PDB file of all heavy atoms in Angstrom:
ATOM      1  N   ALA J   1     -31.884 -75.167 -11.117  1.00  0.00           N
ATOM      2  CA  ALA J   1     -33.222 -74.950 -11.675  1.00  0.00           C
ATOM      3  C   ALA J   1     -33.245 -75.472 -13.101  1.00  0.00           C
ATOM      4  O   ALA J   1     -32.222 -75.501 -13.793  1.00  0.00           O
ATOM      5  CB  ALA J   1     -33.584 -73.462 -11.650  1.00  0.00           C
ATOM      6  N   SER J   2     -34.401 -75.885 -13.526  1.00  0.00           N
ATOM      7  CA  SER J   2     -34.543 -76.374 -14.896  1.00  0.00           C
ATOM      8  C   SER J   2     -34.586 -75.203 -15.863  1.00  0.00           C
ATOM      9  O   SER J   2     -34.826 -74.060 -15.472  1.00  0.00           O
ATOM     10  CB  SER J   2     -35.826 -77.202 -15.026  1.00  0.00           C
ATOM     11  OG  SER J   2     -36.949 -76.409 -14.691  1.00  0.00           O
ATOM     12  N   GLY J   3     -34.361 -75.507 -17.108  1.00  0.00           N
ATOM     13  CA  GLY J   3     -34.456 -74.449 -18.115  1.00  0.00           C
ATOM     14  C   GLY J   3     -33.101 -73.973 -18.570  1.00  0.00           C
ATOM     15  O   GLY J   3     -32.281 -74.759 -19.036  1.00  0.00           O
ATOM     16  N   GLU J   4     -32.859 -72.667 -18.391  1.00  0.00           N
ATOM     17  CA  GLU J   4     -31.665 -72.053 -18.955  1.00  0.00           C
ATOM     18  C   GLU J   4     -30.388 -72.483 -18.233  1.00  0.00           C
ATOM     19  O   GLU J   4     -30.418 -73.132 -17.190  1.00  0.00           O
ATOM     20  CB  GLU J   4     -31.792 -70.534 -18.922  1.00  0.00           C
ATOM     21  CG  GLU J   4     -32.948 -70.010 -19.769  1.00  0.00           C
ATOM     22  CD  GLU J   4     -32.853 -68.515 -19.977  1.00  0.00           C
ATOM     23  OE1 GLU J   4     -31.741 -68.025 -20.217  1.00  0.00           O
ATOM     24  OE2 GLU J   4     -33.893 -67.855 -19.916  1.00  0.00           O
ATOM     25  N   LYS J   5     -29.281 -72.070 -18.808  1.00  0.00           N
ATOM     26  CA  LYS J   5     -27.953 -72.394 -18.263  1.00  0.00           C
ATOM     27  C   LYS J   5     -27.818 -71.923 -16.825  1.00  0.00           C
ATOM     28  O   LYS J   5     -28.272 -70.840 -16.474  1.00  0.00           O
ATOM     29  CB  LYS J   5     -26.891 -71.729 -19.142  1.00  0.00           C
ATOM     30  CG  LYS J   5     -25.462 -71.892 -18.634  1.00  0.00           C
ATOM     31  CD  LYS J   5     -24.499 -71.222 -19.587  1.00  0.00           C
ATOM     32  CE  LYS J   5     -23.097 -71.177 -18.980  1.00  0.00           C
ATOM     33  NZ  LYS J   5     -22.556 -72.513 -18.701  1.00  0.00           N
ATOM     34  N   GLN J   6     -27.200 -72.759 -15.993  1.00  0.00           N
ATOM     35  CA  GLN J   6     -26.951 -72.412 -14.598  1.00  0.00           C
ATOM     36  C   GLN J   6     -25.741 -71.473 -14.522  1.00  0.00           C
ATOM     37  O   GLN J   6     -24.793 -71.615 -15.295  1.00  0.00           O
ATOM     38  CB  GLN J   6     -26.668 -73.669 -13.787  1.00  0.00           C
ATOM     39  CG  GLN J   6     -27.679 -74.784 -13.980  1.00  0.00           C
ATOM     40  CD  GLN J   6     -29.040 -74.447 -13.403  1.00  0.00           C
ATOM     41  OE1 GLN J   6     -29.137 -74.074 -12.249  1.00  0.00           O
ATOM     42  NE2 GLN J   6     -30.070 -74.562 -14.208  1.00  0.00           N
ATOM     43  N   PRO J   7     -25.739 -70.538 -13.583  1.00  0.00           N
ATOM     44  CA  PRO J   7     -24.576 -69.639 -13.463  1.00  0.00           C
ATOM     45  C   PRO J   7     -23.359 -70.359 -12.902  1.00  0.00           C
ATOM     46  O   PRO J   7     -23.474 -71.207 -12.017  1.00  0.00           O
ATOM     47  CB  PRO J   7     -25.075 -68.562 -12.491  1.00  0.00           C
ATOM     48  CG  PRO J   7     -26.146 -69.229 -11.706  1.00  0.00           C
ATOM     49  CD  PRO J   7     -26.803 -70.202 -12.638  1.00  0.00           C
ATOM     50  N   ASP J   8     -22.193 -70.044 -13.428  1.00  0.00           N
ATOM     51  CA  ASP J   8     -20.936 -70.527 -12.879  1.00  0.00           C
ATOM     52  C   ASP J   8     -19.918 -69.397 -12.975  1.00  0.00           C
ATOM     53  O   ASP J   8     -20.207 -68.337 -13.510  1.00  0.00           O
ATOM     54  CB  ASP J   8     -20.444 -71.794 -13.589  1.00  0.00           C
ATOM     55  CG  ASP J   8     -20.301 -71.606 -15.093  1.00  0.00           C
ATOM     56  OD1 ASP J   8     -20.352 -70.443 -15.554  1.00  0.00           O
ATOM     57  OD2 ASP J   8     -20.148 -72.603 -15.817  1.00  0.00           O
ATOM     58  N   ASN J   9     -18.743 -69.604 -12.420  1.00  0.00           N
ATOM     59  CA  ASN J   9     -17.740 -68.535 -12.366  1.00  0.00           C
ATOM     60  C   ASN J   9     -18.353 -67.234 -11.836  1.00  0.00           C
ATOM     61  O   ASN J   9     -18.177 -66.151 -12.401  1.00  0.00           O
ATOM     62  CB  ASN J   9     -17.119 -68.302 -13.754  1.00  0.00           C
ATOM     63  CG  ASN J   9     -16.299 -69.484 -14.213  1.00  0.00           C
ATOM     64  OD1 ASN J   9     -15.411 -69.950 -13.526  1.00  0.00           O
ATOM     65  ND2 ASN J   9     -16.617 -69.997 -15.393  1.00  0.00           N
ATOM     66  N   ILE J  10     -19.086 -67.366 -10.738  1.00  0.00           N
ATOM     67  CA  ILE J  10     -19.822 -66.235 -10.156  1.00  0.00           C
ATOM     68  C   ILE J  10     -18.854 -65.245  -9.502  1.00  0.00           C
ATOM     69  O   ILE J  10     -17.936 -65.632  -8.780  1.00  0.00           O
ATOM     70  CB  ILE J  10     -20.848 -66.750  -9.137  1.00  0.00           C
ATOM     71  CG1 ILE J  10     -21.939 -67.557  -9.861  1.00  0.00           C
ATOM     72  CG2 ILE J  10     -21.468 -65.596  -8.346  1.00  0.00           C
ATOM     73  CD1 ILE J  10     -22.872 -68.290  -8.936  1.00  0.00           C
ATOM     74  N   THR J  11     -19.081 -63.962  -9.750  1.00  0.00           N
ATOM     75  CA  THR J  11     -18.214 -62.919  -9.206  1.00  0.00           C
ATOM     76  C   THR J  11     -18.899 -62.047  -8.150  1.00  0.00           C
ATOM     77  O   THR J  11     -18.226 -61.458  -7.315  1.00  0.00           O
ATOM     78  CB  THR J  11     -17.709 -62.005 -10.336  1.00  0.00           C
ATOM     79  OG1 THR J  11     -18.841 -61.471 -11.051  1.00  0.00           O
ATOM     80  CG2 THR J  11     -16.833 -62.793 -11.310  1.00  0.00           C
ATOM     81  N   ASN J  12     -20.242 -61.977  -8.196  1.00  0.00           N
ATOM     82  CA  ASN J  12     -20.939 -61.134  -7.235  1.00  0.00           C
ATOM     83  C   ASN J  12     -22.416 -61.496  -7.197  1.00  0.00           C
ATOM     84  O   ASN J  12     -22.953 -62.020  -8.178  1.00  0.00           O
ATOM     85  CB  ASN J  12     -20.785 -59.650  -7.592  1.00  0.00           C
ATOM     86  CG  ASN J  12     -20.503 -58.788  -6.380  1.00  0.00           C
ATOM     87  OD1 ASN J  12     -21.130 -58.958  -5.335  1.00  0.00           O
ATOM     88  ND2 ASN J  12     -19.568 -57.866  -6.508  1.00  0.00           N
ATOM     89  N   ILE J  13     -23.060 -61.195  -6.071  1.00  0.00           N
ATOM     90  CA  ILE J  13     -24.486 -61.481  -5.884  1.00  0.00           C
ATOM     91  C   ILE J  13     -25.121 -60.306  -5.163  1.00  0.00           C
ATOM     92  O   ILE J  13     -24.539 -59.744  -4.227  1.00  0.00           O
ATOM     93  CB  ILE J  13     -24.701 -62.753  -5.049  1.00  0.00           C
ATOM     94  CG1 ILE J  13     -23.963 -63.953  -5.655  1.00  0.00           C
ATOM     95  CG2 ILE J  13     -26.179 -63.082  -4.916  1.00  0.00           C
ATOM     96  CD1 ILE J  13     -23.993 -65.178  -4.779  1.00  0.00           C
ATOM     97  N   ILE J  14     -26.349 -59.955  -5.572  1.00  0.00           N
ATOM     98  CA  ILE J  14     -27.062 -58.861  -4.915  1.00  0.00           C
ATOM     99  C   ILE J  14     -28.561 -59.114  -5.040  1.00  0.00           C
ATOM    100  O   ILE J  14     -29.005 -59.849  -5.936  1.00  0.00           O
ATOM    101  CB  ILE J  14     -26.672 -57.498  -5.547  1.00  0.00           C
ATOM    102  CG1 ILE J  14     -26.911 -56.361  -4.567  1.00  0.00           C
ATOM    103  CG2 ILE J  14     -27.398 -57.266  -6.873  1.00  0.00           C
ATOM    104  CD1 ILE J  14     -26.255 -55.046  -4.990  1.00  0.00           C
ATOM    105  N   GLN J  15     -29.363 -58.522  -4.151  1.00  0.00           N
ATOM    106  CA  GLN J  15     -30.820 -58.666  -4.200  1.00  0.00           C
ATOM    107  C   GLN J  15     -31.456 -57.300  -4.418  1.00  0.00           C
ATOM    108  O   GLN J  15     -31.079 -56.322  -3.765  1.00  0.00           O
ATOM    109  CB  GLN J  15     -31.351 -59.295  -2.915  1.00  0.00           C
ATOM    110  CG  GLN J  15     -32.843 -59.611  -2.939  1.00  0.00           C
ATOM    111  CD  GLN J  15     -33.313 -60.330  -1.686  1.00  0.00           C
ATOM    112  OE1 GLN J  15     -32.795 -60.107  -0.605  1.00  0.00           O
ATOM    113  NE2 GLN J  15     -34.297 -61.201  -1.839  1.00  0.00           N
ATOM    114  N   ASP J  16     -32.435 -57.228  -5.341  1.00  0.00           N
ATOM    115  CA  ASP J  16     -33.068 -55.941  -5.624  1.00  0.00           C
ATOM    116  C   ASP J  16     -34.321 -55.739  -4.774  1.00  0.00           C
ATOM    117  O   ASP J  16     -34.666 -56.568  -3.926  1.00  0.00           O
ATOM    118  CB  ASP J  16     -33.375 -55.804  -7.122  1.00  0.00           C
ATOM    119  CG  ASP J  16     -34.485 -56.746  -7.592  1.00  0.00           C
ATOM    120  OD1 ASP J  16     -35.166 -57.368  -6.758  1.00  0.00           O
ATOM    121  OD2 ASP J  16     -34.678 -56.859  -8.826  1.00  0.00           O
ATOM    122  N   GLU J  17     -35.006 -54.608  -5.005  1.00  0.00           N
ATOM    123  CA  GLU J  17     -36.151 -54.239  -4.174  1.00  0.00           C
ATOM    124  C   GLU J  17     -37.354 -55.163  -4.374  1.00  0.00           C
ATOM    125  O   GLU J  17     -38.245 -55.216  -3.530  1.00  0.00           O
ATOM    126  CB  GLU J  17     -36.553 -52.781  -4.462  1.00  0.00           C
ATOM    127  CG  GLU J  17     -37.288 -52.529  -5.779  1.00  0.00           C
ATOM    128  CD  GLU J  17     -36.374 -52.529  -6.993  1.00  0.00           C
ATOM    129  OE1 GLU J  17     -35.138 -52.572  -6.810  1.00  0.00           O
ATOM    130  OE2 GLU J  17     -36.898 -52.460  -8.119  1.00  0.00           O
ATOM    131  N   ARG J  18     -37.378 -55.913  -5.464  1.00  0.00           N
ATOM    132  CA  ARG J  18     -38.485 -56.848  -5.707  1.00  0.00           C
ATOM    133  C   ARG J  18     -38.188 -58.251  -5.192  1.00  0.00           C
ATOM    134  O   ARG J  18     -39.039 -59.131  -5.277  1.00  0.00           O
ATOM    135  CB  ARG J  18     -38.801 -56.904  -7.208  1.00  0.00           C
ATOM    136  CG  ARG J  18     -39.344 -55.606  -7.776  1.00  0.00           C
ATOM    137  CD  ARG J  18     -39.772 -55.791  -9.226  1.00  0.00           C
ATOM    138  NE  ARG J  18     -38.612 -56.010 -10.094  1.00  0.00           N
ATOM    139  CZ  ARG J  18     -38.708 -56.418 -11.361  1.00  0.00           C
ATOM    140  NH1 ARG J  18     -39.906 -56.670 -11.882  1.00  0.00           N
ATOM    141  NH2 ARG J  18     -37.615 -56.576 -12.090  1.00  0.00           N
ATOM    142  N   GLY J  19     -36.985 -58.440  -4.660  1.00  0.00           N
ATOM    143  CA  GLY J  19     -36.622 -59.729  -4.101  1.00  0.00           C
ATOM    144  C   GLY J  19     -35.834 -60.622  -5.033  1.00  0.00           C
ATOM    145  O   GLY J  19     -35.390 -61.709  -4.633  1.00  0.00           O
ATOM    146  N   PHE J  20     -35.637 -60.204  -6.278  1.00  0.00           N
ATOM    147  CA  PHE J  20     -34.867 -61.011  -7.226  1.00  0.00           C
ATOM    148  C   PHE J  20     -33.391 -61.038  -6.821  1.00  0.00           C
ATOM    149  O   PHE J  20     -32.840 -60.032  -6.367  1.00  0.00           O
ATOM    150  CB  PHE J  20     -34.978 -60.460  -8.646  1.00  0.00           C
ATOM    151  CG  PHE J  20     -36.331 -60.646  -9.270  1.00  0.00           C
ATOM    152  CD1 PHE J  20     -37.055 -59.553  -9.727  1.00  0.00           C
ATOM    153  CD2 PHE J  20     -36.884 -61.907  -9.412  1.00  0.00           C
ATOM    154  CE1 PHE J  20     -38.305 -59.714 -10.303  1.00  0.00           C
ATOM    155  CE2 PHE J  20     -38.120 -62.084 -10.002  1.00  0.00           C
ATOM    156  CZ  PHE J  20     -38.840 -60.988 -10.439  1.00  0.00           C
ATOM    157  N   ILE J  21     -32.758 -62.178  -7.011  1.00  0.00           N
ATOM    158  CA  ILE J  21     -31.327 -62.314  -6.813  1.00  0.00           C
ATOM    159  C   ILE J  21     -30.648 -62.126  -8.161  1.00  0.00           C
ATOM    160  O   ILE J  21     -30.956 -62.824  -9.127  1.00  0.00           O
ATOM    161  CB  ILE J  21     -30.969 -63.700  -6.236  1.00  0.00           C
ATOM    162  CG1 ILE J  21     -31.657 -63.916  -4.884  1.00  0.00           C
ATOM    163  CG2 ILE J  21     -29.453 -63.839  -6.114  1.00  0.00           C
ATOM    164  CD1 ILE J  21     -31.194 -62.981  -3.798  1.00  0.00           C
ATOM    165  N   TRP J  22     -29.727 -61.163  -8.224  1.00  0.00           N
ATOM    166  CA  TRP J  22     -28.983 -60.894  -9.458  1.00  0.00           C
ATOM    167  C   TRP J  22     -27.555 -61.370  -9.278  1.00  0.00           C
ATOM    168  O   TRP J  22     -26.913 -61.075  -8.266  1.00  0.00           O
ATOM    169  CB  TRP J  22     -29.022 -59.406  -9.798  1.00  0.00           C
ATOM    170  CG  TRP J  22     -30.391 -58.942 -10.176  1.00  0.00           C
ATOM    171  CD1 TRP J  22     -31.343 -58.426  -9.339  1.00  0.00           C
ATOM    172  CD2 TRP J  22     -30.978 -58.972 -11.480  1.00  0.00           C
ATOM    173  NE1 TRP J  22     -32.486 -58.133 -10.046  1.00  0.00           N
ATOM    174  CE2 TRP J  22     -32.293 -58.461 -11.357  1.00  0.00           C
ATOM    175  CE3 TRP J  22     -30.534 -59.383 -12.734  1.00  0.00           C
ATOM    176  CZ2 TRP J  22     -33.155 -58.341 -12.443  1.00  0.00           C
ATOM    177  CZ3 TRP J  22     -31.388 -59.273 -13.814  1.00  0.00           C
ATOM    178  CH2 TRP J  22     -32.678 -58.751 -13.671  1.00  0.00           C
ATOM    179  N   ILE J  23     -27.067 -62.092 -10.243  1.00  0.00           N
ATOM    180  CA  ILE J  23     -25.768 -62.750 -10.155  1.00  0.00           C
ATOM    181  C   ILE J  23     -24.897 -62.330 -11.335  1.00  0.00           C
ATOM    182  O   ILE J  23     -25.288 -62.517 -12.498  1.00  0.00           O
ATOM    183  CB  ILE J  23     -25.935 -64.282 -10.173  1.00  0.00           C
ATOM    184  CG1 ILE J  23     -26.872 -64.724  -9.037  1.00  0.00           C
ATOM    185  CG2 ILE J  23     -24.594 -64.987 -10.082  1.00  0.00           C
ATOM    186  CD1 ILE J  23     -27.411 -66.117  -9.211  1.00  0.00           C
ATOM    187  N   THR J  24     -23.734 -61.769 -11.043  1.00  0.00           N
ATOM    188  CA  THR J  24     -22.781 -61.485 -12.114  1.00  0.00           C
ATOM    189  C   THR J  24     -21.791 -62.642 -12.194  1.00  0.00           C
ATOM    190  O   THR J  24     -21.413 -63.231 -11.180  1.00  0.00           O
ATOM    191  CB  THR J  24     -22.019 -60.170 -11.873  1.00  0.00           C
ATOM    192  OG1 THR J  24     -21.404 -60.206 -10.578  1.00  0.00           O
ATOM    193  CG2 THR J  24     -22.954 -58.988 -11.958  1.00  0.00           C
ATOM    194  N   SER J  25     -21.377 -62.938 -13.398  1.00  0.00           N
ATOM    195  CA  SER J  25     -20.448 -64.042 -13.611  1.00  0.00           C
ATOM    196  C   SER J  25     -19.568 -63.733 -14.812  1.00  0.00           C
ATOM    197  O   SER J  25     -19.755 -62.723 -15.497  1.00  0.00           O
ATOM    198  CB  SER J  25     -21.227 -65.340 -13.853  1.00  0.00           C
ATOM    199  OG  SER J  25     -21.746 -65.369 -15.174  1.00  0.00           O
ATOM    200  N   LEU J  26     -18.646 -64.628 -15.083  1.00  0.00           N
ATOM    201  CA  LEU J  26     -17.812 -64.491 -16.274  1.00  0.00           C
ATOM    202  C   LEU J  26     -18.510 -65.044 -17.496  1.00  0.00           C
ATOM    203  O   LEU J  26     -17.923 -65.125 -18.573  1.00  0.00           O
ATOM    204  CB  LEU J  26     -16.470 -65.188 -16.049  1.00  0.00           C
ATOM    205  CG  LEU J  26     -15.652 -64.659 -14.866  1.00  0.00           C
ATOM    206  CD1 LEU J  26     -14.318 -65.385 -14.776  1.00  0.00           C
ATOM    207  CD2 LEU J  26     -15.441 -63.156 -14.972  1.00  0.00           C
ATOM    208  N   ASN J  27     -19.788 -65.393 -17.326  1.00  0.00           N
ATOM    209  CA  ASN J  27     -20.629 -65.870 -18.429  1.00  0.00           C
ATOM    210  C   ASN J  27     -21.919 -65.075 -18.543  1.00  0.00           C
ATOM    211  O   ASN J  27     -22.937 -65.597 -18.985  1.00  0.00           O
ATOM    212  CB  ASN J  27     -20.953 -67.360 -18.250  1.00  0.00           C
ATOM    213  CG  ASN J  27     -19.730 -68.237 -18.373  1.00  0.00           C
ATOM    214  OD1 ASN J  27     -19.007 -68.163 -19.354  1.00  0.00           O
ATOM    215  ND2 ASN J  27     -19.467 -69.048 -17.360  1.00  0.00           N
ATOM    216  N   GLY J  28     -21.893 -63.824 -18.105  1.00  0.00           N
ATOM    217  CA  GLY J  28     -23.061 -62.969 -18.232  1.00  0.00           C
ATOM    218  C   GLY J  28     -23.771 -62.717 -16.910  1.00  0.00           C
ATOM    219  O   GLY J  28     -23.261 -63.012 -15.823  1.00  0.00           O
ATOM    220  N   LEU J  29     -24.990 -62.180 -17.027  1.00  0.00           N
ATOM    221  CA  LEU J  29     -25.818 -61.805 -15.884  1.00  0.00           C
ATOM    222  C   LEU J  29     -26.959 -62.809 -15.733  1.00  0.00           C
ATOM    223  O   LEU J  29     -27.543 -63.250 -16.730  1.00  0.00           O
ATOM    224  CB  LEU J  29     -26.374 -60.393 -16.098  1.00  0.00           C
ATOM    225  CG  LEU J  29     -27.329 -59.834 -15.045  1.00  0.00           C
ATOM    226  CD1 LEU J  29     -26.597 -59.575 -13.727  1.00  0.00           C
ATOM    227  CD2 LEU J  29     -27.979 -58.543 -15.550  1.00  0.00           C
ATOM    228  N   PHE J  30     -27.286 -63.142 -14.471  1.00  0.00           N
ATOM    229  CA  PHE J  30     -28.371 -64.075 -14.208  1.00  0.00           C
ATOM    230  C   PHE J  30     -29.332 -63.481 -13.184  1.00  0.00           C
ATOM    231  O   PHE J  30     -28.913 -62.782 -12.257  1.00  0.00           O
ATOM    232  CB  PHE J  30     -27.835 -65.409 -13.663  1.00  0.00           C
ATOM    233  CG  PHE J  30     -27.050 -66.202 -14.667  1.00  0.00           C
ATOM    234  CD1 PHE J  30     -25.718 -65.903 -14.904  1.00  0.00           C
ATOM    235  CD2 PHE J  30     -27.639 -67.244 -15.360  1.00  0.00           C
ATOM    236  CE1 PHE J  30     -24.983 -66.638 -15.822  1.00  0.00           C
ATOM    237  CE2 PHE J  30     -26.917 -67.984 -16.277  1.00  0.00           C
ATOM    238  CZ  PHE J  30     -25.585 -67.684 -16.514  1.00  0.00           C
ATOM    239  N   ARG J  31     -30.607 -63.805 -13.354  1.00  0.00           N
ATOM    240  CA  ARG J  31     -31.632 -63.430 -12.374  1.00  0.00           C
ATOM    241  C   ARG J  31     -32.268 -64.708 -11.840  1.00  0.00           C
ATOM    242  O   ARG J  31     -32.655 -65.585 -12.613  1.00  0.00           O
ATOM    243  CB  ARG J  31     -32.707 -62.554 -13.020  1.00  0.00           C
ATOM    244  CG  ARG J  31     -33.700 -61.968 -12.013  1.00  0.00           C
ATOM    245  CD  ARG J  31     -34.910 -61.378 -12.702  1.00  0.00           C
ATOM    246  NE  ARG J  31     -35.788 -62.422 -13.228  1.00  0.00           N
ATOM    247  CZ  ARG J  31     -36.895 -62.176 -13.949  1.00  0.00           C
ATOM    248  NH1 ARG J  31     -37.215 -60.937 -14.245  1.00  0.00           N
ATOM    249  NH2 ARG J  31     -37.645 -63.181 -14.376  1.00  0.00           N
ATOM    250  N   TYR J  32     -32.377 -64.786 -10.512  1.00  0.00           N
ATOM    251  CA  TYR J  32     -33.003 -65.955  -9.884  1.00  0.00           C
ATOM    252  C   TYR J  32     -34.234 -65.494  -9.116  1.00  0.00           C
ATOM    253  O   TYR J  32     -34.156 -64.587  -8.280  1.00  0.00           O
ATOM    254  CB  TYR J  32     -32.010 -66.639  -8.944  1.00  0.00           C
ATOM    255  CG  TYR J  32     -32.552 -67.884  -8.296  1.00  0.00           C
ATOM    256  CD1 TYR J  32     -32.935 -68.988  -9.060  1.00  0.00           C
ATOM    257  CD2 TYR J  32     -32.684 -67.965  -6.908  1.00  0.00           C
ATOM    258  CE1 TYR J  32     -33.430 -70.139  -8.467  1.00  0.00           C
ATOM    259  CE2 TYR J  32     -33.176 -69.121  -6.307  1.00  0.00           C
ATOM    260  CZ  TYR J  32     -33.546 -70.197  -7.093  1.00  0.00           C
ATOM    261  OH  TYR J  32     -34.042 -71.337  -6.501  1.00  0.00           O
ATOM    262  N   ASP J  33     -35.379 -66.098  -9.413  1.00  0.00           N
ATOM    263  CA  ASP J  33     -36.642 -65.700  -8.786  1.00  0.00           C
ATOM    264  C   ASP J  33     -37.110 -66.670  -7.708  1.00  0.00           C
ATOM    265  O   ASP J  33     -38.234 -66.572  -7.225  1.00  0.00           O
ATOM    266  CB  ASP J  33     -37.734 -65.546  -9.844  1.00  0.00           C
ATOM    267  CG  ASP J  33     -38.034 -66.851 -10.578  1.00  0.00           C
ATOM    268  OD1 ASP J  33     -37.464 -67.901 -10.216  1.00  0.00           O
ATOM    269  OD2 ASP J  33     -38.843 -66.815 -11.530  1.00  0.00           O
ATOM    270  N   GLY J  34     -36.245 -67.595  -7.331  1.00  0.00           N
ATOM    271  CA  GLY J  34     -36.611 -68.589  -6.335  1.00  0.00           C
ATOM    272  C   GLY J  34     -36.988 -69.918  -6.947  1.00  0.00           C
ATOM    273  O   GLY J  34     -37.089 -70.933  -6.241  1.00  0.00           O
ATOM    274  N   PHE J  35     -37.215 -69.914  -8.267  1.00  0.00           N
ATOM    275  CA  PHE J  35     -37.614 -71.135  -8.964  1.00  0.00           C
ATOM    276  C   PHE J  35     -36.709 -71.454 -10.153  1.00  0.00           C
ATOM    277  O   PHE J  35     -36.338 -72.595 -10.370  1.00  0.00           O
ATOM    278  CB  PHE J  35     -39.068 -71.032  -9.446  1.00  0.00           C
ATOM    279  CG  PHE J  35     -40.062 -70.843  -8.336  1.00  0.00           C
ATOM    280  CD1 PHE J  35     -40.512 -69.571  -8.007  1.00  0.00           C
ATOM    281  CD2 PHE J  35     -40.527 -71.929  -7.608  1.00  0.00           C
ATOM    282  CE1 PHE J  35     -41.434 -69.388  -6.980  1.00  0.00           C
ATOM    283  CE2 PHE J  35     -41.435 -71.763  -6.578  1.00  0.00           C
ATOM    284  CZ  PHE J  35     -41.884 -70.482  -6.259  1.00  0.00           C
TER     285      PHE J  35
END
């Protein structure tokens, strides 16, 4: 996706009740909204 830094060194992935994908990594937390 364009914009902010892409996640790498991913350690875990989960989806919340609103449909967002949350990604933990060795470089912080990321939220993906499909775009």
Side-chain angles (χ1 to χ4, degrees):
S2 59
E4 297 193 42
K5 176 179 171 61
Q6 310 291 308
D8 56 12
N9 293 307
I10 293 171
T11 56
N12 223 316
I13 305 172
I14 204 167
Q15 186 176 33
D16 69 11
E17 75 283 352
R18 294 186 291 168
F20 290 122
I21 300 295
W22 292 92
I23 304 163
T24 54
S25 77
L26 301 182
N27 294 307
L29 177 68
F30 292 82
R31 188 193 73 184
Y32 182 62
D33 62 5
F35 299 97

